[in-house]
């Protein structure tokens, strides 16, 4: 049963592998940008900056607050409805609606809004910087995978070549033309080449896992990358990548330079905002309110009476004494809740001026601190620009050296190939020892390996120089 199922299982696995989509660099970068935690963290920072800007804009509008309370008071108190002193406990309820707006504050809020707007732009440029860095890291890891696979291919060719030599040598040994030692040495060389191939395959698998980790892909998920030939990777001409021109583009296009420039402009606006906070501000305010007291009373009805004041006896006769005119007598009762709120309704409106005479030096120190922040951002900008220029020139010099090294290694491979071809012919004629043939073969393999490294190094150095133009990584 196992023998019957095994071919079908192998066929199924092969079909699955062939159907597996291979990721190119663009897909790898896009996936990393979407799932990378650093990108999401920088995006959150940009959202915080956006909220700060929104808050500073809303601070221009009038404030409006509603307050309401209910409580019980006892002992000697002032009646909140008629302001008389009472000793009777009572329940009270009050409402107030207050509004205020700052009319003039020496453009402090205006400059704060301008500064926060620039901060938001800087935060968004910071997101672009993180994305650029991740794109570069993914491109480096991608190139490393391609290089490792080229090494695997080179190792396979070497194993195949050594195996063919061993097969040919065994035939000559069987015919008595070569000693058995030659076959033994080639068997040893084949084992060495096979071990090197296993190491190369393991290294390629490890680098693929590292790329998956960089993409935040689960290590258990199937994943493979497209392997375009290094010769087909587009590279700009070195003549179009002169360092001074690249540096000029970098100052304009690279996100870090944009961040520094925007932060500096923002800090200048915040200096003006801090200075405005040291001057008087003028505000308009207004309020509405009313109060209720459960002990408050009002006249419910009245009656006119003229009661006698007393009696007088005149000549032994009693007479009733009455006032000159009648007077009113009122009947009191509790005031209706809404009627009381209406009766106690009050309004106020006015202007206020706030003069910061002395507040422990907080406003002035904040102003001085904001000016130091400007100097700090200026120094950061100058330092980053200087570092960028050094990096650009270093990348250019590295690219020039990589081109020269690549051309030298190409020549080395050509000469090593010629030497190996001659060595193979002489070995076939019995004019060369197996040791010398293996040495020539090893020299050729080392030359090809050096060429492979120098070719990828050249591509990477050129891509890094292109990256400084602020146009991203393209493969």
């Amino acid at each position: 049963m196992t023998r019957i199922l095994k071919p079908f299982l192998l066929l199924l696995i092969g079909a699955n592998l062939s159907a597996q989509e291979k990721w190119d660099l663009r897909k790898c970068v896009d996936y990393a940008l979407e799932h990378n935690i650093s990108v999401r963290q920088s995006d959150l920072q940009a959202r915080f900056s956006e909220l700060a800007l929104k808050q500073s804009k809303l601070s221009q509008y009038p404030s409006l607050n509603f307050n309401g309370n209910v409580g019980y008071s006892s002992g000697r108190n002032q009646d909140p409805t008629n302001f008389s002193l009472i000793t009777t406990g009572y329940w009270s309820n009050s409402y107030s609606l207050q509004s205020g707006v700052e009319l003039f504050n020496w453009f402090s809020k205006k400059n704060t809004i301008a500064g926060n707007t620039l901060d938001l732009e800087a935060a968004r440029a910071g997101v672009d910087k993180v994305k650029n860095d991740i794109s570069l890291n993914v491109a480096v890891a991608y190139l490393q995978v391609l290089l490792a696979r080229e090494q695997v291919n080179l190792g396979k060719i070497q194993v195949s070549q050594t195996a063919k030599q061993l097969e040919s040598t065994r035939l000559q040994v069987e015919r008595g033309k070569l000693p058995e030692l030659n076959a033994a040495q080639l068997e040893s060389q084949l084992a060495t080449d096979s071990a090197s191939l296993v190491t190369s395959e393991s290294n390629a698998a490890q680098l693929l896992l590292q790329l998956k980790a960089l993409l935040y892909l689960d290590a258990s998920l199937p994943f493979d990358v497209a392997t375009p030939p290094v010769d087909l990777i587009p590279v700009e001409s070195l003549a179009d990548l002169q360092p001074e021109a690249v540096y000029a583009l970098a100052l304009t296009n690279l996100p870090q330079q944009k961040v520094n420039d925007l932060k500096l402009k923002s800090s200048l606006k915040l200096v003006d905002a801090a200075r405005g906070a040291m001057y008087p501000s003028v505000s308009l305010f207004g309020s509405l309110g009313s109060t209720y007291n459960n002990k408050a009373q009002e006249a419910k009805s009245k009656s006119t009476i003229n009661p006698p004041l007393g009696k007088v006896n005149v000549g032994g006769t009693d007479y009733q004494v009455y006032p000159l005119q009648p007077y009113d007598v009122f009947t009191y009762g509790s005031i209706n809740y809404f009627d009381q709120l209406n009766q106690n309704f009050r309004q106020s409106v006015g202007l206020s001026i706030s003069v910061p005479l002395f507040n422990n030096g907080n406003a002035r120190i904040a102003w001085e601190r904001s000016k130091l922040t400007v100097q700090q951002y200026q120094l950061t900008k100058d330092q980053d620009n200087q570092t960028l220029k050094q990096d650009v020139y270093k990348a250019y010099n590295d690219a020039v050296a990589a081109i020269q090294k690549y051309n030298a290694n190409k020549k080395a491979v050509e000469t090593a190939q010629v030497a190996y071809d001659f060595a193979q012919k002489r070995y076939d004629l019995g004019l060369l020892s197996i040791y010398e043939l293996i040495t020539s073969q090893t020299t050729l393999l080392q030359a090809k390996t050096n060429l492979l490294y120098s070719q990828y190094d050249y591509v990477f150095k050129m891509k890094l120089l292109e990256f400084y133009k602020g146009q991203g990584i393209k493969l």
Side-chain angles (χ1 to χ4, degrees), residues 35-47:
H35 296 85
N36 189 275
I37 293 178
S38 297
V39 174
R40 283 185 274 176
Q41 287 176 332
S42 60
D43 183 64
L44 285 176
Q45 188 60 47
R47 294 184 189 181

Side-chain angles (χ1 to χ4, degrees), residues 18-56:
S18 62
Q20 179 182 326
E21 180 186 3
K22 294 186 177 183
W23 293 29
D24 59 11
L25 178 61
R26 173 47 51 197
K27 184 172 182 179
C28 290
V29 170
D30 290 343
Y31 189 90
L33 295 181
E34 183 179 354
H35 296 85
N36 189 275
I37 293 178
S38 297
V39 174
R40 283 185 274 176
Q41 287 176 332
S42 60
D43 183 64
L44 285 176
Q45 188 60 47
R47 294 184 189 181
F48 280 123
S49 299
E50 188 173 359
L51 289 176
L53 174 60
K54 184 178 181 179
Q55 179 65 62
S56 60

Side-chain angles (χ1 to χ4, degrees), residues 268-298:
L268 290 171
K269 289 295 182 181
L270 295 179
V271 167
D272 294 336
R275 182 172 56 189
M278 296 190 298
Y279 296 103
S281 61
V282 180
S283 302
L284 174 67
F285 67 87
S287 66
L288 303 173
S290 187
T291 307
Y292 167 79
N293 184 345
N294 73 319
K295 296 297 183 180
Q297 293 186 335
E298 65 176 353

Side-chain angles (χ1 to χ4, degrees), residues 3 42 82 129 132 180 254 270 272 337 343 393 395 422 424 456 471 473:
R3 291 181 179 179
S42 60
N82 57 24
K129 178 187 181 301
N132 265 15
E180 183 66 28
L254 285 186
L270 295 179
D272 294 336
Y337 181 82
Q343 293 172 11
Y393 272 84
F422 278 116
Q424 182 67 52
Y456 273 92
Q471 299 174 356
I473 292 287

Side-chain angles (χ1 to χ4, degrees), residues 6-292:
K6 186 175 180 180
F8 290 101
L9 290 174
L10 292 176
L11 181 62
L12 181 62
I13 293 172
N16 185 39
L17 291 175
S18 62
Q20 179 182 326
E21 180 186 3
K22 294 186 177 183
W23 293 29
D24 59 11
L25 178 61
R26 173 47 51 197
K27 184 172 182 179
C28 290
V29 170
D30 290 343
Y31 189 90
L33 295 181
E34 183 179 354
H35 296 85
N36 189 275
I37 293 178
S38 297
V39 174
R40 283 185 274 176
Q41 287 176 332
S42 60
D43 183 64
L44 285 176
Q45 188 60 47
R47 294 184 189 181
F48 280 123
S49 299
E50 188 173 359
L51 289 176
L53 174 60
K54 184 178 181 179
Q55 179 65 62
S56 60
K57 286 182 176 179
L58 290 175
S59 68
Q60 300 176 101
Y61 299 101
S63 62
L64 184 63
N65 297 289
F66 173 79
N67 296 303
N69 64 72
V70 61
Y72 178 80
S73 298
S74 62
R76 187 176 179 84
N77 287 289
Q78 186 180 50
D79 189 325
T81 58
N82 57 24
F83 305 107
S84 61
L85 293 176
I86 58 175
T87 57
T88 304
Y90 65 89
W91 286 95
S92 64
N93 181 207
S94 65
Y95 303 99
S96 66
L97 185 67
Q98 299 173 335
S99 180
V101 60
E102 202 166 24
L103 299 178
F104 184 69
N105 56 13
W106 299 92
F107 310 108
S108 180
K109 288 187 176 180
K110 177 182 178 181
N111 287 316
T112 299
I113 292 172
N116 288 342
T117 301
L118 292 167
D119 273 340
L120 175 57
E121 293 179 18
R124 288 172 176 169
V127 175
D128 292 337
K129 178 187 181 301
V130 174
K131 289 182 177 179
N132 265 15
D133 293 343
I134 290 172
S135 298
L136 182 60
N137 292 336
V138 170
V140 171
Y142 191 90
L143 283 173
Q144 287 177 335
V145 171
L146 297 187
L147 173 59
R149 291 191 170 179
E150 289 291 346
Q151 289 177 301
V152 170
N153 293 334
L154 196 61
K156 289 179 179 179
I157 294 173
Q158 180 66 22
V159 169
S160 175
Q161 190 174 25
T162 304
K164 288 180 181 180
Q165 288 177 347
L166 176 60
E167 183 180 357
S168 174
T169 299
R170 282 198 175 280
L171 290 175
Q172 295 190 54
V173 169
E174 291 174 359
R175 295 171 184 173
K177 293 182 178 181
L178 291 175
E180 183 66 28
L181 178 61
N182 286 22
Q185 288 178 328
L186 281 174
E187 285 179 354
S188 174
Q189 184 63 36
L190 180 60
T192 301
D193 293 342
S194 299
S196 299
L197 176 60
V198 171
T199 301
S200 299
E201 290 175 336
S202 175
N203 183 52
Q206 184 63 35
L207 289 173
L208 191 65
L209 281 175
Q210 291 178 9
L211 178 58
K212 290 177 70 174
L214 192 60
L215 299 180
Y216 286 87
L217 278 173
D218 192 310
S220 63
L221 293 177
F223 173 74
D224 198 7
V225 297
T227 54
V230 66
D231 296 334
L232 299 182
I233 297 177
V235 176
E236 293 187 29
S237 171
L238 191 61
D240 297 331
L241 297 172
Q242 294 301 308
E244 200 60 36
V246 172
Y247 175 65
L249 289 173
L251 288 177
T252 305
N253 297 330
L254 285 186
Q256 183 59 56
Q257 274 50 49
K258 292 181 181 179
V259 170
N260 292 339
D261 188 56
L262 290 168
K263 283 290 187 181
L264 179 59
K265 291 179 180 178
S266 171
S267 64
L268 290 171
K269 289 295 182 181
L270 295 179
V271 167
D272 294 336
R275 182 172 56 189
M278 296 190 298
Y279 296 103
S281 61
V282 180
S283 302
L284 174 67
F285 67 87
S287 66
L288 303 173
S290 187
T291 307
Y292 167 79

